[in-house]
Amino acid sequence: MIENWQHFLLPYQQAVNELKVKLRGMRKQYQDAEQHSPIEFVTGRVKPVDSIKEKMVRRHVQADRLEQDMQDIAGLRIMCQFVEDIYEVVDLLRQRSDMTILEERDYISNVKPSGYRSYHIVIEYPVQLVTGEKRILAEIQIRTLAMNFWATIEHSLNYKYQGEFPEELSARLQRAAEAAFRLDNEMSEIREEIQEAQNLFSYKKSIQHQAGGEQGLSKE
Ligand code: 0O2
Ligand code: 0O2
């Protein structure tokens, strides 16, 4: 039994906070270089205690094995515009020296029966505590905006149906997942066109910003 959940979860919360800053920092660096960022946005959460308890029962995880056997107590999500960006992000993560990748699960090539697509990475991440270093596991889910749309809707329906979808709904969700993936593929086809337009847009914005700054100066 875990007596003090707040104490147990503290290093996980610290890891989520640090990783959010680091991953959002990667996006900032692309923006600073005026390049297309493979990262659109990043979210993160510590799994709520009730969800941890429920998963422990469902997966037969003993309390003394929790740290090793539940890989998503600390969860990060990276959203990308294009499927190609996902693999770029994976490469970026593989090169980092502040985390160790333990597992990769490609649910894009190996779509789940539900229709779920995402790339999952399990990392070991060192958290610096006043009592010393603690290495914890964290799961990073990398997906496109379309995959995220589908997964968010499906996840909320799961609450209602507890995973036991009526056949008709399950078939519809699978069709919706395929439609989302077709959308991703269509977007990939016109990726260069989209990126040129986005670069032009951010260039215009920076010119306007500069012009605004100069006007501001001349007023003084
Ligand atoms: P729900 O709907 O029950 O899932 P910020 O102020 O932006 O730094 P904040 O407010 O902590 O940070 O929120 P953030 O980082 O934008 O995202 C939190 C939400 O992201 C959570 O919502 C989760 O839905 C989602 N999320 C992010 N990563 C994961 C993950 O790896 N697994 C899961 N299951 N969800 C994730 P809530 O509020 O917890 O509510
Ligand atoms: P949460 O916090 O509610 O999201 P398993 O449960 O056996 O399939 P395993 O080995 O724990 O999986 O890891 P996996 O499958 O790599 O990742 C599990 C997490 O991926 C889930 O977390 C979801 O966040 C997400 N996921 C996996 N399959 C689906 C799916 O069909 N639909 C949606 N919406 N999300 C999925 P949890 O444990 O459900 O927690």
Side-chain angles (χ1 to χ4, degrees):
M1 268 307 287
I2 290 173
E3 311 244 312
N4 186 341
W5 279 99
Q6 203 186 336
H7 172 76
F8 175 78
L9 292 176
L10 203 72
Y12 292 92
Q13 188 59 63
Q14 188 168 320
V16 168
N17 291 344
E18 288 179 16
L19 286 163
K20 279 204 284 193
V21 169
K22 289 180 177 188
L23 298 170
R24 286 172 182 168
M26 287 161 77
R27 173 174 166 81
K28 276 258 168 299
Q29 291 169 52
Y30 280 94
Q31 287 177 320
D32 182 58
E34 293 182 5
Q35 283 173 11
H36 165 75
S37 168
I39 295 177
E40 188 62 13
F41 66 92
V42 177
T43 63
R45 62 96 183 92
V46 172
K47 206 175 187 65
V49 174
D50 285 349
S51 308
I52 297 178
K53 286 181 179 166
E54 181 273 320
K55 198 168 178 174
M56 283 171 82
V57 174
R58 181 160 44 91
R59 295 295 195 76
H60 310 287
V61 178
Q62 302 298 322
D64 60 351
R65 294 282 311 166
L66 187 57
E67 292 181 10
Q68 301 94 306
D69 290 355
M70 202 172 295
Q71 301 171 325
D72 68 339
I73 296 176
L76 280 300
R77 234 172 234 167
I78 301 178
M79 265 54 70
C80 308
Q81 287 187 348
F82 302 102
V83 177
E84 291 78 3
D85 293 338
I86 296 177
Y87 294 99
E88 204 176 320
V89 171
V90 172
D91 272 338
L92 288 169
L93 296 179
R94 285 185 188 137
Q95 285 161 30
R96 293 188 72 106
S97 58
D98 57 349
M99 56 183 78
T100 309
I101 295 183
L102 299 184
E103 260 182 61
E104 294 187 21
R105 292 197 276 270
D106 183 352
Y107 297 126
I108 300 168
S109 310
N110 307 299
V111 56
K112 285 203 164 192
S114 59
Y116 178 79
R117 283 189 174 84
S118 277
Y119 198 103
H120 290 194
I121 287 184
V122 178
I123 60 164
E124 189 180 57
Y125 183 77
V127 183
Q128 308 301 322
L129 304 172
V130 288
T131 46
E133 181 178 287
K134 185 172 171 64
R135 302 177 81 80
I136 60 130
L137 300 185
E139 184 189 71
I140 307 180
Q141 301 179 341
I142 312 161
R143 44 170 81 154
T144 62
L145 298 169
M147 291 171 192
N148 190 48
F149 178 40
W150 183 91
T152 307
I153 302 282
E154 199 259 4
H155 193 260
S156 51
L157 282 170
N158 245 311
Y159 272 112
K160 180 168 172 197
Y161 292 98
Q162 304 281 323
E164 302 283 330
F165 291 133
E167 227 167 86
E168 166 75 11
L169 182 57
S170 170
R172 266 187 202 283
L173 280 167
Q174 278 165 22
R175 286 205 296 277
E178 290 317 304
F181 198 55
R182 281 201 303 281
L183 173 63
D184 273 335
N185 287 334
E186 288 294 332
M187 288 300 185
S188 288
E189 292 294 325
I190 51 170
R191 182 165 61 115
E192 281 177 21
E193 194 85 22
I194 297 170
Q195 283 176 1
E196 258 175 47
Q198 287 173 342
N199 287 342
L200 200 67
F201 182 67
S202 63
Y203 174 72
K204 261 192 173 167
K205 268 208 316 201
S206 81
I207 293 284
Q208 279 166 359
H209 185 73
Q210 275 174 21
E214 278 159 18
Q215 273 171 12
L217 271 182
S218 60
K219 267 186 212 154
E220 280 174 4

